[in-house]
Amino acid sequence: EEVFEDCRDLVQSAVDGYNVTIFAYGQTGAGKTFTMYGAPGMEGTSPRTIKELYKVVAQNSSHFDYTIHAAMLELYRSELVDLLNKGSDVKKSKLNVKADKQGRVVIENLIEEKCETAEQLQDVLERGNAQRTVAATAMNSESSRSHLVIMIRINSVNKDTKEELRGKILMCDLAGSERIKKSQVTDDMQKEAIEINKSLTSLGNVIEALTKGQKSIPYRDHKLTQLMQDSLGGTAKTLMFVNCSP
């Protein structure tokens, strides 16, 4: 509850039309997934964000019409996996990350579900998490070997002026950074570790370039930063949890 206080205002910002990113960063085993999702009886950031979102929407429903869509995907190595496109018999189209004319990130072929209640959005979260476990087993990876991203789009239309606002919440459970010598991984897991570290380095470079006010931001260095592009720069708002372990 105390940790979530830092996130509460960001939910209002997303409803007001801003792009918001909340992510947990740290080494393997530091508690990032626990921070983002929690455990039975101890809700993490994501479930609390969902509840807060629908609470804010209900408070403003007399003046605005809201539409909320959600998608869930995983970045394993450098491949995007749609976690709502469930079942091995389903033909899976390649997910391509692009930017539209307004600079908004668009992911081609990604399934988005309309969620009218907090329960429906929580169901998307749980189904995506379950599918991630299945996908992870099939691909011989563990949950911590991939980045997990929940994307919530919020469209609001002012009932009086008909003005439309588009906000977005991106919640990322990043894979853990690790030193290959220390983790003693080999072969496939070593390739995974290299790719994870590469993506986290790219994210660090983007954040450094933004904080220094550089003209050129290296979003295109990795799919992770391409995916987060419209939720990091410009008028976007970002909250990073740094998870440390001894």
Side-chain angles (χ1 to χ4, degrees), residues 114-152:
K114 187 176 179 181
C115 301
E116 294 182 350
T117 64
E119 289 73 26
Q120 286 177 354
L121 186 42
Q122 186 64 37
D123 178 61
V124 168
L125 186 69
E126 288 168 8
R127 276 189 290 124
N129 263 325
Q131 188 63 16
R132 183 193 195 189
T133 308
V134 173
T137 308
M139 294 166 77
N140 195 25
S141 72
E142 297 170 20
S143 60
S144 61
R145 315 307 294 175
S146 64
H147 304 302
L148 184 67
V149 179
I150 310 159
M151 194 180 294
I152 305 168

PDB file of all heavy atoms in Angstrom, residues 114-152:
ATOM      1  N   LYS A 114     -11.350  -5.566 -25.029  1.00  0.00           N
ATOM      2  CA  LYS A 114     -12.073  -4.490 -24.355  1.00  0.00           C
ATOM      3  C   LYS A 114     -12.427  -4.953 -22.947  1.00  0.00           C
ATOM      4  O   LYS A 114     -12.942  -6.062 -22.753  1.00  0.00           O
ATOM      5  CB  LYS A 114     -13.347  -4.155 -25.142  1.00  0.00           C
ATOM      6  CG  LYS A 114     -14.078  -2.930 -24.624  1.00  0.00           C
ATOM      7  CD  LYS A 114     -15.272  -2.615 -25.505  1.00  0.00           C
ATOM      8  CE  LYS A 114     -16.020  -1.399 -24.980  1.00  0.00           C
ATOM      9  NZ  LYS A 114     -17.196  -1.082 -25.816  1.00  0.00           N
ATOM     10  N   CYS A 115     -12.138  -4.114 -21.956  1.00  0.00           N
ATOM     11  CA  CYS A 115     -12.384  -4.472 -20.553  1.00  0.00           C
ATOM     12  C   CYS A 115     -13.289  -3.419 -19.915  1.00  0.00           C
ATOM     13  O   CYS A 115     -12.868  -2.265 -19.732  1.00  0.00           O
ATOM     14  CB  CYS A 115     -11.055  -4.562 -19.788  1.00  0.00           C
ATOM     15  SG  CYS A 115      -9.896  -5.760 -20.468  1.00  0.00           S
ATOM     16  N   GLU A 116     -14.503  -3.817 -19.584  1.00  0.00           N
ATOM     17  CA  GLU A 116     -15.461  -2.854 -19.035  1.00  0.00           C
ATOM     18  C   GLU A 116     -15.436  -2.804 -17.511  1.00  0.00           C
ATOM     19  O   GLU A 116     -15.978  -1.870 -16.918  1.00  0.00           O
ATOM     20  CB  GLU A 116     -16.871  -3.187 -19.537  1.00  0.00           C
ATOM     21  CG  GLU A 116     -16.992  -2.997 -21.052  1.00  0.00           C
ATOM     22  CD  GLU A 116     -18.384  -3.270 -21.581  1.00  0.00           C
ATOM     23  OE1 GLU A 116     -19.211  -3.795 -20.800  1.00  0.00           O
ATOM     24  OE2 GLU A 116     -18.642  -2.958 -22.758  1.00  0.00           O
ATOM     25  N   THR A 117     -14.811  -3.799 -16.894  1.00  0.00           N
ATOM     26  CA  THR A 117     -14.724  -3.814 -15.427  1.00  0.00           C
ATOM     27  C   THR A 117     -13.305  -4.178 -14.996  1.00  0.00           C
ATOM     28  O   THR A 117     -12.519  -4.730 -15.784  1.00  0.00           O
ATOM     29  CB  THR A 117     -15.689  -4.862 -14.820  1.00  0.00           C
ATOM     30  OG1 THR A 117     -15.269  -6.176 -15.253  1.00  0.00           O
ATOM     31  CG2 THR A 117     -17.128  -4.619 -15.245  1.00  0.00           C
ATOM     32  N   ALA A 118     -13.004  -3.891 -13.729  1.00  0.00           N
ATOM     33  CA  ALA A 118     -11.685  -4.240 -13.178  1.00  0.00           C
ATOM     34  C   ALA A 118     -11.488  -5.752 -13.202  1.00  0.00           C
ATOM     35  O   ALA A 118     -10.380  -6.245 -13.431  1.00  0.00           O
ATOM     36  CB  ALA A 118     -11.573  -3.709 -11.748  1.00  0.00           C
ATOM     37  N   GLU A 119     -12.589  -6.493 -13.006  1.00  0.00           N
ATOM     38  CA  GLU A 119     -12.510  -7.960 -13.000  1.00  0.00           C
ATOM     39  C   GLU A 119     -12.103  -8.493 -14.370  1.00  0.00           C
ATOM     40  O   GLU A 119     -11.308  -9.434 -14.473  1.00  0.00           O
ATOM     41  CB  GLU A 119     -13.862  -8.574 -12.577  1.00  0.00           C
ATOM     42  CG  GLU A 119     -14.215  -8.394 -11.108  1.00  0.00           C
ATOM     43  CD  GLU A 119     -14.617  -6.962 -10.757  1.00  0.00           C
ATOM     44  OE1 GLU A 119     -15.102  -6.236 -11.653  1.00  0.00           O
ATOM     45  OE2 GLU A 119     -14.432  -6.575  -9.586  1.00  0.00           O
ATOM     46  N   GLN A 120     -12.646  -7.887 -15.439  1.00  0.00           N
ATOM     47  CA  GLN A 120     -12.289  -8.320 -16.794  1.00  0.00           C
ATOM     48  C   GLN A 120     -10.813  -8.057 -17.085  1.00  0.00           C
ATOM     49  O   GLN A 120     -10.134  -8.876 -17.690  1.00  0.00           O
ATOM     50  CB  GLN A 120     -13.165  -7.601 -17.829  1.00  0.00           C
ATOM     51  CG  GLN A 120     -14.593  -8.106 -17.873  1.00  0.00           C
ATOM     52  CD  GLN A 120     -15.454  -7.321 -18.860  1.00  0.00           C
ATOM     53  OE1 GLN A 120     -15.023  -6.328 -19.436  1.00  0.00           O
ATOM     54  NE2 GLN A 120     -16.689  -7.773 -19.039  1.00  0.00           N
ATOM     55  N   LEU A 121     -10.317  -6.909 -16.631  1.00  0.00           N
ATOM     56  CA  LEU A 121      -8.906  -6.573 -16.857  1.00  0.00           C
ATOM     57  C   LEU A 121      -7.997  -7.469 -16.017  1.00  0.00           C
ATOM     58  O   LEU A 121      -6.943  -7.916 -16.469  1.00  0.00           O
ATOM     59  CB  LEU A 121      -8.664  -5.097 -16.525  1.00  0.00           C
ATOM     60  CG  LEU A 121      -7.287  -4.502 -16.823  1.00  0.00           C
ATOM     61  CD1 LEU A 121      -6.735  -4.951 -18.163  1.00  0.00           C
ATOM     62  CD2 LEU A 121      -7.331  -2.993 -16.756  1.00  0.00           C
ATOM     63  N   GLN A 122      -8.433  -7.774 -14.802  1.00  0.00           N
ATOM     64  CA  GLN A 122      -7.666  -8.686 -13.939  1.00  0.00           C
ATOM     65  C   GLN A 122      -7.621 -10.088 -14.564  1.00  0.00           C
ATOM     66  O   GLN A 122      -6.604 -10.784 -14.483  1.00  0.00           O
ATOM     67  CB  GLN A 122      -8.322  -8.745 -12.552  1.00  0.00           C
ATOM     68  CG  GLN A 122      -7.552  -9.554 -11.516  1.00  0.00           C
ATOM     69  CD  GLN A 122      -6.200  -8.978 -11.174  1.00  0.00           C
ATOM     70  OE1 GLN A 122      -6.033  -7.763 -11.116  1.00  0.00           O
ATOM     71  NE2 GLN A 122      -5.207  -9.834 -10.960  1.00  0.00           N
ATOM     72  N   ASP A 123      -8.723 -10.472 -15.221  1.00  0.00           N
ATOM     73  CA  ASP A 123      -8.784 -11.768 -15.899  1.00  0.00           C
ATOM     74  C   ASP A 123      -7.771 -11.826 -17.053  1.00  0.00           C
ATOM     75  O   ASP A 123      -7.115 -12.845 -17.258  1.00  0.00           O
ATOM     76  CB  ASP A 123     -10.205 -12.014 -16.431  1.00  0.00           C
ATOM     77  CG  ASP A 123     -10.317 -13.331 -17.184  1.00  0.00           C
ATOM     78  OD1 ASP A 123     -10.070 -14.379 -16.566  1.00  0.00           O
ATOM     79  OD2 ASP A 123     -10.623 -13.302 -18.392  1.00  0.00           O
ATOM     80  N   VAL A 124      -7.642 -10.715 -17.797  1.00  0.00           N
ATOM     81  CA  VAL A 124      -6.644 -10.630 -18.872  1.00  0.00           C
ATOM     82  C   VAL A 124      -5.242 -10.823 -18.292  1.00  0.00           C
ATOM     83  O   VAL A 124      -4.418 -11.565 -18.833  1.00  0.00           O
ATOM     84  CB  VAL A 124      -6.736  -9.263 -19.605  1.00  0.00           C
ATOM     85  CG1 VAL A 124      -5.528  -9.041 -20.505  1.00  0.00           C
ATOM     86  CG2 VAL A 124      -8.017  -9.189 -20.431  1.00  0.00           C
ATOM     87  N   LEU A 125      -4.992 -10.163 -17.166  1.00  0.00           N
ATOM     88  CA  LEU A 125      -3.695 -10.261 -16.482  1.00  0.00           C
ATOM     89  C   LEU A 125      -3.387 -11.711 -16.095  1.00  0.00           C
ATOM     90  O   LEU A 125      -2.292 -12.221 -16.345  1.00  0.00           O
ATOM     91  CB  LEU A 125      -3.732  -9.371 -15.233  1.00  0.00           C
ATOM     92  CG  LEU A 125      -2.454  -9.204 -14.423  1.00  0.00           C
ATOM     93  CD1 LEU A 125      -1.426  -8.398 -15.181  1.00  0.00           C
ATOM     94  CD2 LEU A 125      -2.746  -8.528 -13.088  1.00  0.00           C
ATOM     95  N   GLU A 126      -4.374 -12.378 -15.510  1.00  0.00           N
ATOM     96  CA  GLU A 126      -4.175 -13.759 -15.057  1.00  0.00           C
ATOM     97  C   GLU A 126      -4.019 -14.733 -16.224  1.00  0.00           C
ATOM     98  O   GLU A 126      -3.183 -15.638 -16.191  1.00  0.00           O
ATOM     99  CB  GLU A 126      -5.338 -14.180 -14.154  1.00  0.00           C
ATOM    100  CG  GLU A 126      -5.289 -13.497 -12.790  1.00  0.00           C
ATOM    101  CD  GLU A 126      -6.561 -13.654 -11.983  1.00  0.00           C
ATOM    102  OE1 GLU A 126      -7.451 -14.430 -12.413  1.00  0.00           O
ATOM    103  OE2 GLU A 126      -6.682 -12.998 -10.929  1.00  0.00           O
ATOM    104  N   ARG A 127      -4.825 -14.525 -17.285  1.00  0.00           N
ATOM    105  CA  ARG A 127      -4.704 -15.404 -18.460  1.00  0.00           C
ATOM    106  C   ARG A 127      -3.361 -15.238 -19.146  1.00  0.00           C
ATOM    107  O   ARG A 127      -2.730 -16.194 -19.595  1.00  0.00           O
ATOM    108  CB  ARG A 127      -5.845 -15.121 -19.455  1.00  0.00           C
ATOM    109  CG  ARG A 127      -7.124 -15.860 -19.113  1.00  0.00           C
ATOM    110  CD  ARG A 127      -8.147 -15.747 -20.216  1.00  0.00           C
ATOM    111  NE  ARG A 127      -8.688 -14.407 -20.325  1.00  0.00           N
ATOM    112  CZ  ARG A 127      -8.673 -13.674 -21.427  1.00  0.00           C
ATOM    113  NH1 ARG A 127      -8.120 -14.144 -22.532  1.00  0.00           N
ATOM    114  NH2 ARG A 127      -9.213 -12.473 -21.453  1.00  0.00           N
ATOM    115  N   GLY A 128      -2.916 -13.976 -19.232  1.00  0.00           N
ATOM    116  CA  GLY A 128      -1.616 -13.711 -19.838  1.00  0.00           C
ATOM    117  C   GLY A 128      -0.495 -14.343 -19.050  1.00  0.00           C
ATOM    118  O   GLY A 128       0.421 -14.956 -19.604  1.00  0.00           O
ATOM    119  N   ASN A 129      -0.577 -14.230 -17.723  1.00  0.00           N
ATOM    120  CA  ASN A 129       0.438 -14.832 -16.859  1.00  0.00           C
ATOM    121  C   ASN A 129       0.478 -16.341 -17.003  1.00  0.00           C
ATOM    122  O   ASN A 129       1.543 -16.957 -17.050  1.00  0.00           O
ATOM    123  CB  ASN A 129       0.167 -14.467 -15.389  1.00  0.00           C
ATOM    124  CG  ASN A 129       0.988 -13.281 -14.944  1.00  0.00           C
ATOM    125  OD1 ASN A 129       2.119 -13.101 -15.366  1.00  0.00           O
ATOM    126  ND2 ASN A 129       0.406 -12.446 -14.086  1.00  0.00           N
ATOM    127  N   ALA A 130      -0.715 -16.952 -17.078  1.00  0.00           N
ATOM    128  CA  ALA A 130      -0.790 -18.412 -17.237  1.00  0.00           C
ATOM    129  C   ALA A 130      -0.216 -18.839 -18.581  1.00  0.00           C
ATOM    130  O   ALA A 130       0.496 -19.835 -18.690  1.00  0.00           O
ATOM    131  CB  ALA A 130      -2.247 -18.869 -17.112  1.00  0.00           C
ATOM    132  N   GLN A 131      -0.512 -18.062 -19.607  1.00  0.00           N
ATOM    133  CA  GLN A 131      -0.017 -18.384 -20.954  1.00  0.00           C
ATOM    134  C   GLN A 131       1.490 -18.208 -21.020  1.00  0.00           C
ATOM    135  O   GLN A 131       2.178 -18.951 -21.708  1.00  0.00           O
ATOM    136  CB  GLN A 131      -0.702 -17.471 -21.981  1.00  0.00           C
ATOM    137  CG  GLN A 131      -0.414 -17.823 -23.430  1.00  0.00           C
ATOM    138  CD  GLN A 131      -0.924 -19.199 -23.822  1.00  0.00           C
ATOM    139  OE1 GLN A 131      -1.739 -19.779 -23.121  1.00  0.00           O
ATOM    140  NE2 GLN A 131      -0.433 -19.731 -24.925  1.00  0.00           N
ATOM    141  N   ARG A 132       1.985 -17.262 -20.268  1.00  0.00           N
ATOM    142  CA  ARG A 132       3.430 -17.045 -20.229  1.00  0.00           C
ATOM    143  C   ARG A 132       4.127 -18.295 -19.690  1.00  0.00           C
ATOM    144  O   ARG A 132       5.155 -18.713 -20.204  1.00  0.00           O
ATOM    145  CB  ARG A 132       3.747 -15.849 -19.330  1.00  0.00           C
ATOM    146  CG  ARG A 132       5.231 -15.505 -19.279  1.00  0.00           C
ATOM    147  CD  ARG A 132       5.504 -14.542 -18.151  1.00  0.00           C
ATOM    148  NE  ARG A 132       6.816 -13.920 -18.271  1.00  0.00           N
ATOM    149  CZ  ARG A 132       7.367 -13.177 -17.343  1.00  0.00           C
ATOM    150  NH1 ARG A 132       6.732 -12.955 -16.219  1.00  0.00           N
ATOM    151  NH2 ARG A 132       8.562 -12.637 -17.516  1.00  0.00           N
ATOM    152  N   THR A 133       3.566 -18.892 -18.677  1.00  0.00           N
ATOM    153  CA  THR A 133       4.158 -20.098 -18.093  1.00  0.00           C
ATOM    154  C   THR A 133       4.191 -21.220 -19.112  1.00  0.00           C
ATOM    155  O   THR A 133       5.191 -21.917 -19.266  1.00  0.00           O
ATOM    156  CB  THR A 133       3.343 -20.542 -16.853  1.00  0.00           C
ATOM    157  OG1 THR A 133       3.203 -19.425 -15.979  1.00  0.00           O
ATOM    158  CG2 THR A 133       4.030 -21.670 -16.127  1.00  0.00           C
ATOM    159  N   VAL A 134       3.079 -21.390 -19.854  1.00  0.00           N
ATOM    160  CA  VAL A 134       3.003 -22.432 -20.886  1.00  0.00           C
ATOM    161  C   VAL A 134       4.015 -22.158 -21.989  1.00  0.00           C
ATOM    162  O   VAL A 134       4.773 -23.028 -22.394  1.00  0.00           O
ATOM    163  CB  VAL A 134       1.568 -22.504 -21.486  1.00  0.00           C
ATOM    164  CG1 VAL A 134       1.520 -23.459 -22.663  1.00  0.00           C
ATOM    165  CG2 VAL A 134       0.585 -22.934 -20.414  1.00  0.00           C
ATOM    166  N   ALA A 135       4.050 -20.896 -22.450  1.00  0.00           N
ATOM    167  CA  ALA A 135       4.983 -20.519 -23.509  1.00  0.00           C
ATOM    168  C   ALA A 135       6.417 -20.718 -23.047  1.00  0.00           C
ATOM    169  O   ALA A 135       7.263 -21.183 -23.782  1.00  0.00           O
ATOM    170  CB  ALA A 135       4.746 -19.066 -23.916  1.00  0.00           C
ATOM    171  N   ALA A 136       6.632 -20.406 -21.779  1.00  0.00           N
ATOM    172  CA  ALA A 136       7.992 -20.520 -21.253  1.00  0.00           C
ATOM    173  C   ALA A 136       8.451 -21.969 -21.239  1.00  0.00           C
ATOM    174  O   ALA A 136       9.585 -22.273 -21.572  1.00  0.00           O
ATOM    175  CB  ALA A 136       8.044 -19.934 -19.849  1.00  0.00           C
ATOM    176  N   THR A 137       7.537 -22.887 -20.888  1.00  0.00           N
ATOM    177  CA  THR A 137       7.892 -24.304 -20.864  1.00  0.00           C
ATOM    178  C   THR A 137       8.195 -24.797 -22.268  1.00  0.00           C
ATOM    179  O   THR A 137       9.178 -25.491 -22.500  1.00  0.00           O
ATOM    180  CB  THR A 137       6.718 -25.137 -20.275  1.00  0.00           C
ATOM    181  OG1 THR A 137       6.354 -24.560 -19.031  1.00  0.00           O
ATOM    182  CG2 THR A 137       7.118 -26.565 -20.064  1.00  0.00           C
ATOM    183  N   ALA A 138       7.357 -24.404 -23.230  1.00  0.00           N
ATOM    184  CA  ALA A 138       7.539 -24.843 -24.614  1.00  0.00           C
ATOM    185  C   ALA A 138       8.842 -24.309 -25.199  1.00  0.00           C
ATOM    186  O   ALA A 138       9.469 -24.942 -26.035  1.00  0.00           O
ATOM    187  CB  ALA A 138       6.360 -24.386 -25.464  1.00  0.00           C
ATOM    188  N   MET A 139       9.228 -23.116 -24.758  1.00  0.00           N
ATOM    189  CA  MET A 139      10.437 -22.493 -25.312  1.00  0.00           C
ATOM    190  C   MET A 139      11.665 -22.761 -24.450  1.00  0.00           C
ATOM    191  O   MET A 139      12.725 -22.207 -24.674  1.00  0.00           O
ATOM    192  CB  MET A 139      10.226 -20.975 -25.430  1.00  0.00           C
ATOM    193  CG  MET A 139       9.161 -20.587 -26.425  1.00  0.00           C
ATOM    194  SD  MET A 139       8.676 -18.875 -26.243  1.00  0.00           S
ATOM    195  CE  MET A 139      10.051 -18.084 -27.029  1.00  0.00           C
ATOM    196  N   ASN A 140      11.486 -23.582 -23.427  1.00  0.00           N
ATOM    197  CA  ASN A 140      12.596 -23.934 -22.542  1.00  0.00           C
ATOM    198  C   ASN A 140      13.190 -22.708 -21.853  1.00  0.00           C
ATOM    199  O   ASN A 140      14.394 -22.526 -21.792  1.00  0.00           O
ATOM    200  CB  ASN A 140      13.694 -24.690 -23.318  1.00  0.00           C
ATOM    201  CG  ASN A 140      14.671 -25.370 -22.380  1.00  0.00           C
ATOM    202  OD1 ASN A 140      14.319 -25.678 -21.247  1.00  0.00           O
ATOM    203  ND2 ASN A 140      15.897 -25.570 -22.833  1.00  0.00           N
ATOM    204  N   SER A 141      12.307 -21.811 -21.397  1.00  0.00           N
ATOM    205  CA  SER A 141      12.767 -20.636 -20.652  1.00  0.00           C
ATOM    206  C   SER A 141      11.962 -20.527 -19.371  1.00  0.00           C
ATOM    207  O   SER A 141      10.873 -21.088 -19.255  1.00  0.00           O
ATOM    208  CB  SER A 141      12.572 -19.371 -21.482  1.00  0.00           C
ATOM    209  OG  SER A 141      11.212 -19.059 -21.555  1.00  0.00           O
ATOM    210  N   GLU A 142      12.483 -19.805 -18.412  1.00  0.00           N
ATOM    211  CA  GLU A 142      11.747 -19.560 -17.184  1.00  0.00           C
ATOM    212  C   GLU A 142      11.165 -18.158 -17.245  1.00  0.00           C
ATOM    213  O   GLU A 142      11.559 -17.355 -18.067  1.00  0.00           O
ATOM    214  CB  GLU A 142      12.695 -19.695 -15.977  1.00  0.00           C
ATOM    215  CG  GLU A 142      13.253 -21.101 -15.838  1.00  0.00           C
ATOM    216  CD  GLU A 142      14.371 -21.177 -14.809  1.00  0.00           C
ATOM    217  OE1 GLU A 142      14.439 -20.270 -13.959  1.00  0.00           O
ATOM    218  OE2 GLU A 142      15.162 -22.119 -14.887  1.00  0.00           O
ATOM    219  N   SER A 143      10.217 -17.892 -16.321  1.00  0.00           N
ATOM    220  CA  SER A 143       9.529 -16.599 -16.369  1.00  0.00           C
ATOM    221  C   SER A 143      10.519 -15.438 -16.312  1.00  0.00           C
ATOM    222  O   SER A 143      10.326 -14.418 -16.934  1.00  0.00           O
ATOM    223  CB  SER A 143       8.523 -16.494 -15.225  1.00  0.00           C
ATOM    224  OG  SER A 143       9.181 -16.622 -13.983  1.00  0.00           O
ATOM    225  N   SER A 144      11.586 -15.613 -15.556  1.00  0.00           N
ATOM    226  CA  SER A 144      12.547 -14.523 -15.404  1.00  0.00           C
ATOM    227  C   SER A 144      13.447 -14.345 -16.628  1.00  0.00           C
ATOM    228  O   SER A 144      14.281 -13.465 -16.664  1.00  0.00           O
ATOM    229  CB  SER A 144      13.428 -14.761 -14.174  1.00  0.00           C
ATOM    230  OG  SER A 144      14.150 -15.962 -14.333  1.00  0.00           O
ATOM    231  N   ARG A 145      13.268 -15.198 -17.634  1.00  0.00           N
ATOM    232  CA  ARG A 145      14.109 -15.103 -18.835  1.00  0.00           C
ATOM    233  C   ARG A 145      13.481 -14.196 -19.889  1.00  0.00           C
ATOM    234  O   ARG A 145      13.994 -14.088 -21.002  1.00  0.00           O
ATOM    235  CB  ARG A 145      14.343 -16.487 -19.467  1.00  0.00           C
ATOM    236  CG  ARG A 145      14.703 -17.598 -18.534  1.00  0.00           C
ATOM    237  CD  ARG A 145      15.877 -17.303 -17.645  1.00  0.00           C
ATOM    238  NE  ARG A 145      17.142 -17.161 -18.378  1.00  0.00           N
ATOM    239  CZ  ARG A 145      18.279 -16.813 -17.810  1.00  0.00           C
ATOM    240  NH1 ARG A 145      18.312 -16.523 -16.529  1.00  0.00           N
ATOM    241  NH2 ARG A 145      19.375 -16.709 -18.525  1.00  0.00           N
ATOM    242  N   SER A 146      12.378 -13.560 -19.565  1.00  0.00           N
ATOM    243  CA  SER A 146      11.709 -12.704 -20.552  1.00  0.00           C
ATOM    244  C   SER A 146      11.152 -11.455 -19.876  1.00  0.00           C
ATOM    245  O   SER A 146      10.964 -11.415 -18.665  1.00  0.00           O
ATOM    246  CB  SER A 146      10.569 -13.472 -21.231  1.00  0.00           C
ATOM    247  OG  SER A 146       9.582 -13.807 -20.265  1.00  0.00           O
ATOM    248  N   HIS A 147      10.892 -10.426 -20.687  1.00  0.00           N
ATOM    249  CA  HIS A 147      10.242  -9.208 -20.200  1.00  0.00           C
ATOM    250  C   HIS A 147       8.737  -9.367 -20.408  1.00  0.00           C
ATOM    251  O   HIS A 147       8.289  -9.740 -21.498  1.00  0.00           O
ATOM    252  CB  HIS A 147      10.722  -7.986 -20.987  1.00  0.00           C
ATOM    253  CG  HIS A 147      12.206  -7.806 -20.982  1.00  0.00           C
ATOM    254  ND1 HIS A 147      12.946  -7.664 -19.827  1.00  0.00           N
ATOM    255  CD2 HIS A 147      13.097  -7.734 -22.010  1.00  0.00           C
ATOM    256  CE1 HIS A 147      14.224  -7.509 -20.141  1.00  0.00           C
ATOM    257  NE2 HIS A 147      14.352  -7.553 -21.457  1.00  0.00           N
ATOM    258  N   LEU A 148       7.956  -9.086 -19.386  1.00  0.00           N
ATOM    259  CA  LEU A 148       6.500  -9.193 -19.475  1.00  0.00           C
ATOM    260  C   LEU A 148       5.899  -7.786 -19.480  1.00  0.00           C
ATOM    261  O   LEU A 148       6.228  -6.968 -18.617  1.00  0.00           O
ATOM    262  CB  LEU A 148       5.961  -9.988 -18.289  1.00  0.00           C
ATOM    263  CG  LEU A 148       4.463 -10.277 -18.278  1.00  0.00           C
ATOM    264  CD1 LEU A 148       4.087 -11.230 -19.399  1.00  0.00           C
ATOM    265  CD2 LEU A 148       4.030 -10.871 -16.950  1.00  0.00           C
ATOM    266  N   VAL A 149       5.031  -7.520 -20.459  1.00  0.00           N
ATOM    267  CA  VAL A 149       4.468  -6.168 -20.619  1.00  0.00           C
ATOM    268  C   VAL A 149       2.939  -6.223 -20.670  1.00  0.00           C
ATOM    269  O   VAL A 149       2.368  -6.980 -21.455  1.00  0.00           O
ATOM    270  CB  VAL A 149       4.988  -5.500 -21.922  1.00  0.00           C
ATOM    271  CG1 VAL A 149       4.388  -4.105 -22.084  1.00  0.00           C
ATOM    272  CG2 VAL A 149       6.517  -5.425 -21.925  1.00  0.00           C
ATOM    273  N   ILE A 150       2.304  -5.424 -19.819  1.00  0.00           N
ATOM    274  CA  ILE A 150       0.846  -5.236 -19.882  1.00  0.00           C
ATOM    275  C   ILE A 150       0.617  -3.845 -20.453  1.00  0.00           C
ATOM    276  O   ILE A 150       1.195  -2.866 -19.978  1.00  0.00           O
ATOM    277  CB  ILE A 150       0.189  -5.283 -18.492  1.00  0.00           C
ATOM    278  CG1 ILE A 150       0.629  -6.508 -17.713  1.00  0.00           C
ATOM    279  CG2 ILE A 150      -1.327  -5.228 -18.607  1.00  0.00           C
ATOM    280  CD1 ILE A 150       0.424  -6.338 -16.233  1.00  0.00           C
ATOM    281  N   MET A 151      -0.225  -3.787 -21.472  1.00  0.00           N
ATOM    282  CA  MET A 151      -0.518  -2.507 -22.125  1.00  0.00           C
ATOM    283  C   MET A 151      -2.004  -2.194 -21.959  1.00  0.00           C
ATOM    284  O   MET A 151      -2.854  -2.970 -22.385  1.00  0.00           O
ATOM    285  CB  MET A 151      -0.166  -2.629 -23.614  1.00  0.00           C
ATOM    286  CG  MET A 151      -0.087  -1.321 -24.348  1.00  0.00           C
ATOM    287  SD  MET A 151       0.340  -1.611 -26.077  1.00  0.00           S
ATOM    288  CE  MET A 151       1.988  -2.264 -25.931  1.00  0.00           C
ATOM    289  N   ILE A 152      -2.308  -1.083 -21.306  1.00  0.00           N
ATOM    290  CA  ILE A 152      -3.704  -0.682 -21.082  1.00  0.00           C
ATOM    291  C   ILE A 152      -3.938   0.651 -21.792  1.00  0.00           C
ATOM    292  O   ILE A 152      -3.276   1.650 -21.486  1.00  0.00           O
ATOM    293  CB  ILE A 152      -4.021  -0.541 -19.579  1.00  0.00           C
ATOM    294  CG1 ILE A 152      -3.687  -1.839 -18.827  1.00  0.00           C
ATOM    295  CG2 ILE A 152      -5.483  -0.164 -19.369  1.00  0.00           C
ATOM    296  CD1 ILE A 152      -3.701  -1.693 -17.311  1.00  0.00           C
TER     297      ILE A 152
END
